[in-house]
Amino acid sequence: MAKFTVGKGAQEYVDQLVKLEADTLKILGKAIYPGAGVITDQIRKNIAAVPVHSDSKLGTSEDPVTGLTSVQRAGLLEGLGISKARSENGYLHVKVGMDGYNRTRTKKYPNGQPNALIIRSLESGTSWRSKQPVISPAVSSKRAEAEQKMSDTLDEEIKKIMKG
């Protein structure tokens, strides 16, 4: 009968694989944020490129507003961020989006206009605001770069574990 002898190296490799499995969520978390950062940076640039109109110009369906007020732009830039990672059904999620309110207070919005409302109206357009997408172009133009950044980070983290 044939005899097969496994040296010490095989057991070390198995131990590294076990550690890799145990740290999977931690490693994925380290990889997902740099990719989300690439998208967030592009969204920030896109918001900064949207034209500013005077606060007194109100849009109508006949003469829609193009752009943002300076207060709305500042609110969007301040509220832009990445959520904490969340694991759900075997997937790890982070969200890039707007939080909070800008400083334009109205009767309807005494705490300020919700940034999510402003970005949605800019992204999709309304009867009084022309469509000027900032999120969808950022995602489509930077998807490959974000995926590469995540892949590179993942490779680095795996190498650290496999060497140790």
Side-chain angles (χ1 to χ4, degrees), residues 9 71 92 95 97 119 146 148 152:
V71 173
L92 192 61
K95 293 180 182 179
I119 197 68
Q148 186 62 48
D152 292 346

Side-chain angles (χ1 to χ4, degrees), residues 10-67:
Q11 184 58 45
E12 288 176 1
Y13 184 68
V14 169
D15 291 343
Q16 289 171 338
L17 290 176
V18 168
K19 181 159 175 44
L20 188 63
E21 179 187 19
D23 292 343
T24 299
L25 279 179
K26 183 175 133 186
I27 294 168
L28 292 175
K30 286 182 179 181
I32 201 166
Y33 282 104
V38 169
I39 302 295
T40 304
D41 290 344
Q42 186 60 46
I43 292 171
R44 189 176 311 315
K45 289 176 187 174
N46 290 357
I47 290 171
V50 173
V52 173
H53 65 81
S54 70
D55 294 348
S56 62
K57 182 174 186 328
L58 298 174
T60 64
S61 56
E62 294 84 31
D63 183 25
V65 171
T66 55

